[in-house]
Amino acid sequence: MCGIIARIGHGNAAETLLSGLENLEYRGYDSAGIAVQNGSGVKVHKCSGEVSDLKSALNTQPHGNMGIGHTRWSTHGPPTDENAHPHTDTAGDVAVVHNGVIDNYDELRADLQEKGHEFDSDTDTEVIPHLIDEYREATGDTERAVRRAVETLEGSYAIAAIVDGEEAVYAARKGSPLVLGLDEEEWFLASDVPAFLDHTDEVIYLEDGDLVVLEPDSYRITDLAGNPVERSVDTVDWDPEDAGKGEYDHYMLKEINNQPTSLANTIEGRVEDGDVAFEDLPPGTFDGIESVQFVACGTSYHAAMYGSQLVREAGLRTEVLRASEYEATTGPVDETTLTVAVTQSGETADTLDAVRTAANRGARTLAVTNVVGSTVAREADDAVYIRAGPEVGVAATKTYSSQAVTLALLSQRIAGDVPDATPAADRTAMLEALTDLPQHVEAVLESTRAETLARDTLDSESFFFIGSGLGHSVALEGALKFKEITYEHAEGFAAGELKHGPLALVTEETPLFAVYTSSDDEKTKTNAIEAQSRGAPIVAVGPDDNPLVDVADAHLSVPETHPVWAGLLANVQLQLLSYHAAKQLGRPIDKPRNLAKSVTVE
């Protein structure tokens, strides 16, 4: 989950490393550090806290044409100065940054200590520079030493290393993302493209087992046996300005407001002549499919619920599985199963494991992701991109909307191929309404009362969110957003489940947000009134023309639209509610405690 960056070329590296780390802080912000090599040793500067703390601690900018950097999400050891990366060997000649988890670090550490190596931190990462140092002594060659070191490691890693006296950056990956950026004057390595997007849009997505050596004017990619490897160069179509906050106080607010644009990009070219079209999924792609399973985590899981509901309505057997529990909870899987992996980053460790397990059992696999060239896109049989553009805020907003729309379209595309499935009877009306969705989101953003409502309910003890059908997944997502950025207690429920236990928690201090879509709303209304009779204030979230509005204490309105899309408009209102509540509470909205954007460790 950590963010790593490396840079080598002409001119000073430190400024680029620091700005790159700021662009990677969504991956972790417990501590930060850089190491530069300038011909007079490897100089390491690091501290606990955010990248801004590191910049403040630097009296003068370190000088050197090459270096590595790291922003940490703690796994082994608390966020202290000692546990911050980069880590070095005993002599300080080898510096390493690492994203991932080394499973056999205890064994390696004990062995290295017996050989006289001294350790200063609690991290698993610190064994890596010591291993490189050990093998350099044995081989006299740094590249061979790095190769032997990573072959010794068990677990997941993306690493970058520099060595005193050498004008080179050494890097390798297994199970954690690493991308190479190419510019005329400099080369980059990073966990994610935004780290260097200001400098270049030419990238190579590295694969497991790749080892890279960067020198000021060249780069080489080999496998772990030393054999040359060819990797294609891709062009990233993200605008560098998309990765900045612009005029907004927070990335989250910018990304909420960006949804009309991101949704327009998601939809473009995918609705043609009243039907659904995916360029990379021609007619017949899903021939032979009898069941569809979705695997995902967190917000992506809620989007998967949205898609699964529509697949079920089309008459296909379907289930939604938490990727972290896939092996324990999945039923029979064979060549008639389509496993759809939903992951914004395409690097979520649990989701990747689920896809690999499904593929090994014979399932067809399809990735729904935001990142071209990501691991899941390369490993799945097919990939569909949500086209939401870069999302920096840890709390996913625009990617949820784009995932849900993509999956809704995918449900109709699958139904068109499977003889026993039935596309939505009102599909034409549904697709026509979809073309208006970006404008409808714009209307919500312009007219929302979420800020006032957040202020009115701020002193509540708990916040409940309910919904039925497609509204259920929106209620769960609304509760997740609220709890992760406000730190207040919030729970989401299927509307009919409220009376089966949770109603015991309802008081006048527990506002209930009832999501409705003009479909499956009767349970939502009935259970909302039941909570209201126990004193809970009710907030209706949905179109104006609904009986629930008449009995609610407050209303977050959305434009009239097809029921399939009404929930996504309600979701925008709940995103704004969470944002304004967190802002009024003074929370660090873009960097909620203990969380990171992309969970690349199990």
Side-chain angles (χ1 to χ4, degrees):
M1 241 124 54
C2 306
I4 69 173
I5 185 172
R7 181 269 188 193
I8 186 170
H10 304 288
N12 196 25
E15 183 176 351
T16 302
L17 294 173
L18 291 167
S19 63
L21 290 180
E22 288 177 320
N23 291 338
L24 287 174
E25 276 200 294
Y26 59 87
R27 300 184 63 89
Y29 31 84
D30 291 341
S31 60
I34 62 172
V36 296
Q37 211 276 95
N38 59 11
S40 60
V42 173
K43 307 298 183 183
V44 175
H45 308 267
K46 60 183 184 176
C47 67
S48 60
E50 300 179 5
V51 176
S52 58
D53 298 313
L54 174 65
K55 293 175 72 173
S56 297
L58 294 172
N59 296 323
T60 59
Q61 191 174 93
H63 184 73
N65 73 317
M66 54 177 286
I68 55 178
H70 188 274
T71 181
R72 183 172 184 243
W73 186 82
S74 303
T75 54
H76 292 76
T80 63
D81 291 354
E82 293 78 14
N83 290 333
H85 297 213
H87 289 291
T88 65
D89 64 326
T90 303
D93 294 334
V94 180
V96 170
V97 291
H98 164 232
N99 172 35
V101 174
I102 306 305
D103 294 331
N104 60 336
Y105 84 100
D106 276 332
E107 171 190 338
L108 294 172
R109 183 178 178 124
D111 181 61
L112 288 162
Q113 286 175 322
E114 285 185 8
K115 295 176 180 178
H117 292 262
E118 298 176 2
F119 287 78
D120 299 319
S121 78
D122 303 315
T123 70
D124 55 337
T125 301
E126 197 178 0
V127 299
I128 302 174
H130 289 275
L131 283 172
I132 295 173
D133 176 57
E134 184 76 11
Y135 293 133
R136 285 180 74 232
E137 288 288 326
T139 65
D141 181 89
T142 300
E143 185 174 343
R144 290 174 62 193
V146 172
R147 186 171 292 113
R148 286 185 62 180
V150 297
E151 288 174 335
T152 307
L153 303 176
E154 297 175 5
S156 62
Y157 57 78
I159 66 168
I162 57 174
V163 177
D164 182 26
E166 298 187 22
E167 273 204 302
V169 176
Y170 302 88
R173 72 154 281 179
K174 175 191 171 186
S176 292
L178 193 62
V179 59
L180 171 61
L182 310 176
D183 193 25
E184 293 180 358
E185 297 292 326
E186 51 195 348
W187 313 121
F188 304 90
L189 284 159
S191 300
D192 207 350
V193 171
F196 53 72
L197 193 56
D198 286 336
H199 300 270
T200 182
D201 59 1
E202 299 294 312
V203 303
I204 294 175
Y205 295 99
L206 301 172
E207 299 189 12
D208 282 358
D210 285 354
L211 188 143
V212 186
V213 181
L214 304 183
E215 295 174 327
D217 298 304
S218 65
Y219 68 89
R220 289 182 288 112
I221 306 174
T222 67
D223 61 21
L224 292 183
N227 302 309
V229 172
E230 293 292 329
R231 297 280 179 242
S232 62
V233 178
D234 293 315
T235 301
V236 178
D237 61 359
W238 291 350
D239 187 326
E241 291 186 6
D242 290 343
K245 282 190 290 191
E247 64 187 19
Y248 295 95
D249 292 337
H250 299 94
Y251 284 108
M252 183 180 180
L253 184 60
K254 177 190 175 183
E255 288 155 3
I256 291 171
N257 280 272
N258 185 239
Q259 285 175 112
T261 299
S262 59
L263 285 169
N265 292 336
T266 299
I267 298 164
E268 184 180 5
R270 290 175 170 172
V271 178
E272 295 180 354
D273 300 324
D275 207 348
V276 176
F278 285 97
E279 180 180 345
D280 296 325
L281 302 176
T285 297
F286 302 110
D287 285 348
I289 293 300
E290 296 178 2
S291 65
V292 181
Q293 57 179 206
F294 294 83
V295 294
C297 301
T299 287
S300 295
Y301 179 84
H302 299 150
M305 289 179 64
Y306 213 92
S308 180
Q309 173 78 14
L310 295 170
V311 170
R312 185 177 298 109
E313 291 176 5
L316 270 170
R317 287 188 288 114
T318 183
E319 59 182 344
V320 187
L321 300 166
R322 298 186 188 279
S324 58
E325 299 295 318
Y326 179 78
E327 198 156 4
T329 57
T330 187
V333 173
D334 57 27
E335 67 277 1
T336 68
T337 306
L338 176 67
T339 300
V340 181
V342 188
T343 160
Q344 182 276 137
S345 68
E347 304 291 349
T348 307
D350 291 326
T351 306
L352 288 170
D353 281 348
V355 170
R356 291 161 183 161
T357 299
N360 288 337
R361 294 178 181 176
R364 304 255 300 274
T365 57
L366 171 67
V368 175
T369 184
N370 196 34
V371 181
V372 177
S374 58
T375 300
V376 76
R378 295 197 306 269
E379 294 192 9
D381 295 322
D382 295 288
V384 171
Y385 297 103
I386 67 171
R387 305 173 180 166
E391 185 178 68
V392 177
V394 168
T397 52
K398 66 177 182 176
T399 53
Y400 170 80
S401 300
S402 289
Q403 284 174 334
V405 167
T406 302
L407 292 171
L409 291 172
L410 184 64
S411 72
Q412 301 306 299
R413 180 65 195 77
I414 294 170
D417 272 355
V418 180
D420 293 336
T422 305
D426 60 348
R427 181 166 61 168
T428 299
M430 181 183 84
L431 297 178
E432 287 178 354
L434 175 60
T435 61
D436 293 328
L437 186 61
Q439 291 77 22
H440 285 160
V441 172
E442 189 73 54
V444 170
L445 295 170
E446 291 175 354
S447 64
T448 183
R449 296 182 59 251
E451 184 174 6
T452 299
L453 191 59
R455 185 176 297 108
D456 292 344
T457 59
L458 201 60
D459 294 331
S460 301
E461 293 177 354
S462 294
F463 299 80
F464 287 173
F465 299 77
I466 64 169
S468 296
L470 292 172
H472 177 209
S473 58
V474 174
L476 294 178
E477 175 61 12
L480 176 62
K481 282 294 150 289
F482 201 89
K483 71 180 73 174
E484 68 183 345
I485 65 167
T486 69
Y487 308 159
E488 298 296 309
H489 178 250
E491 294 294 338
F493 305 99
E497 289 299 303
L498 192 65
K499 59 183 172 291
H500 294 288
L503 199 60
L505 300 175
V506 167
T507 72
E508 63 277 2
E509 297 298 326
T510 54
L512 187 142
F513 296 85
V515 176
Y516 58 92
T517 65
S518 298
S519 177
D520 301 311
D521 288 342
E522 194 56 41
K523 284 184 180 179
T524 304
K525 178 184 175 183
T526 299
N527 285 272
I529 292 173
E530 218 172 281
Q532 190 180 49
S533 70
R534 273 104 177 140
I538 303 303
V539 180
V541 189
D544 293 342
D545 186 18
N546 190 284
L548 184 57
V549 176
D550 297 332
V551 299
D553 299 289
H555 181 210
L556 288 174
S557 175
V558 307
E560 295 290 334
T561 186
H562 190 280
V564 167
W565 313 123
L568 300 185
L569 295 173
N571 177 66
V572 176
Q573 288 281 23
L574 296 182
Q575 290 172 349
L576 290 163
L577 176 79
S578 299
Y579 172 81
H580 288 297
K583 185 175 181 181
Q584 290 163 24
L585 289 165
R587 308 301 192 213
I589 292 171
D590 288 330
K591 301 173 185 177
R593 66 188 178 203
N594 304 331
L595 301 179
K597 182 76 176 168
S598 178
V599 184
T600 57
V601 297
E602 295 179 11

